[in-house]
Amino acid sequence: MIHHDIATLRRLLDEADHVCALTGAGVSAESGVPTFRGDGGLWRDHDPTRIATIGAFRRDPALVWEFYNWRRALVRSVAPNRAHLALARLERRVPDFTLITQNVDGLHPAAGSERCIEIHGSLWRVRCTACRAVYEDRAEESAGDLGPAPACARCGGLLRPDVVWFGEPLDPLLWTECVEACTACDVLLVAGTSAAVQPVASLALEAKSRGAVVAEINVEQTPQTRYMDFVLRGRAGEMLAALAPED
Ligand code: OAD
């Protein structure tokens, strides 16, 4: 049976020792960052899920950099919203809290989340395709735009965003942390994700099979809705703020 009662879920969160939250692009939507799928998902005429691939980068790195430079500029102009802030508050209230995000925009850390696993990487790190050095790059002076073929400061090789693309494996250590957190938690909140991308989507069912209460917060139904204990149908900002209200 699926419950829809915010007050009951809030009480479960208040009583829980171990809580996880898994977030996706929908959590940043209210900040003005477009999601990958659904309305407004197109970048120019391109489907972003076809640009965020290793194949696209090999074929046309300049196009892929144009997309990421655009995302970097966009994210620099926005701020964390109520959803990010509520999750940061929840972290401060729960004894053991882990946030796992598929978002690469850095808005969770910007909102104050400290234990945040950015499982798909970060827009604000680059990685050299030649020497594999990874470094932070916010390029403040150029509004985040690194140009069509940014070069490694150390070896001159072509840089790429340090994000995980389709067809690429996740960082095994980070993934192990995600699995451990989800198998140990009492409650898992799954907010603003279409649950379309594996293996991250499998974390919800993993948590449920280990006895966690799983709750979906989304404006729409997802393929995982039917496995949920709680479904809060609405915007992440409003729902998460109701689950973790300000003092
Ligand atoms: P998607 O774009 O696939 O899904 C966004 C989800 O957010 C959808 O289920 C929407 O219904 C929901 N949504 C939209 N606005 C919302 C709001 N205000 N409140 C609550 N929910 C809202 O994004 P992800 O699931 O994050 O990977 O996509 C997963 C991965 O696919 C991304 O990390 C990215 C992408 O390709 C890579 O780049 C590797």
Side-chain angles (χ1 to χ4, degrees):
M1 185 179 152
I2 298 178
H3 303 274
H4 302 276
D5 172 22
I6 294 190
T8 308
L9 182 55
R10 193 175 145 188
R11 204 180 60 242
L12 288 172
L13 285 171
D14 286 345
E15 290 165 357
D17 289 326
H18 307 277
V19 174
C20 278
L22 169 63
T23 67
V27 159
S28 293
E30 288 157 68
S31 292
V33 182
T35 56
F36 282 86
R37 297 172 184 78
D39 288 348
L42 282 189
W43 171 65
R44 304 207 193 138
D45 286 339
H46 300 283
D47 174 350
T49 63
R50 288 177 184 270
I51 300 269
T53 70
I54 183 65
F57 188 72
R58 288 197 183 117
R59 270 193 308 279
D60 193 348
L63 177 72
V64 175
W65 262 116
E66 228 183 303
F67 173 63
Y68 279 93
N69 282 325
W70 171 77
R71 284 182 71 86
R72 283 164 59 104
L74 187 145
V75 171
R76 280 165 60 94
S77 69
V78 305
N81 65 54
R82 290 196 298 167
H84 302 106
L85 295 169
L87 288 169
R89 276 198 299 279
L90 202 54
E91 176 175 3
R92 294 193 286 272
R93 289 175 194 172
V94 174
D96 176 30
F97 182 87
T98 303
L99 175 57
I100 301 164
T101 188
Q102 298 166 89
N103 299 343
V104 297
D105 53 34
L107 290 174
H108 282 302
S113 284
E114 286 183 4
R115 184 157 161 63
C116 174
I117 303 175
E118 294 179 305
I119 191 66
H120 283 167
S122 170
L123 278 180
W124 308 112
R125 283 195 314 264
V126 290
R127 184 160 94 229
C128 179
T129 56
C131 73
R132 307 202 180 277
V134 174
Y135 38 102
E136 200 169 297
D137 190 324
R138 292 180 183 264
E140 302 287 341
E141 66 288 348
S142 57
D145 189 337
L146 296 177
C152 176
R154 298 172 197 183
C155 79
L158 177 64
L159 292 175
R160 56 164 284 176
D162 190 30
V163 300
V164 178
W165 283 326
F166 285 109
E168 296 187 312
L170 300 175
D171 178 315
L173 290 178
L174 291 183
W175 177 244
T176 302
E177 278 184 49
C178 293
V179 173
E180 282 175 1
C182 285
T183 50
C185 70
D186 306 312
V187 182
L188 170 66
L189 304 176
V190 184
T193 175
S194 59
V197 175
Q198 293 294 356
V200 175
S202 70
L203 290 170
L205 299 188
E206 182 68 28
K208 186 173 170 84
S209 73
R210 299 298 186 111
V213 170
V214 290
E216 177 178 85
I217 296 153
N218 201 304
V219 289
E220 287 174 5
Q221 189 161 325
T222 75
Q224 293 188 339
T225 301
R226 63 201 170 113
Y227 303 112
M228 294 288 149
D229 299 301
F230 283 82
V231 170
L232 304 185
R233 190 62 72 231
R235 284 156 46 114
E238 183 188 341
M239 297 298 159
L240 289 168
L243 288 174
E246 290 177 51
D247 290 324

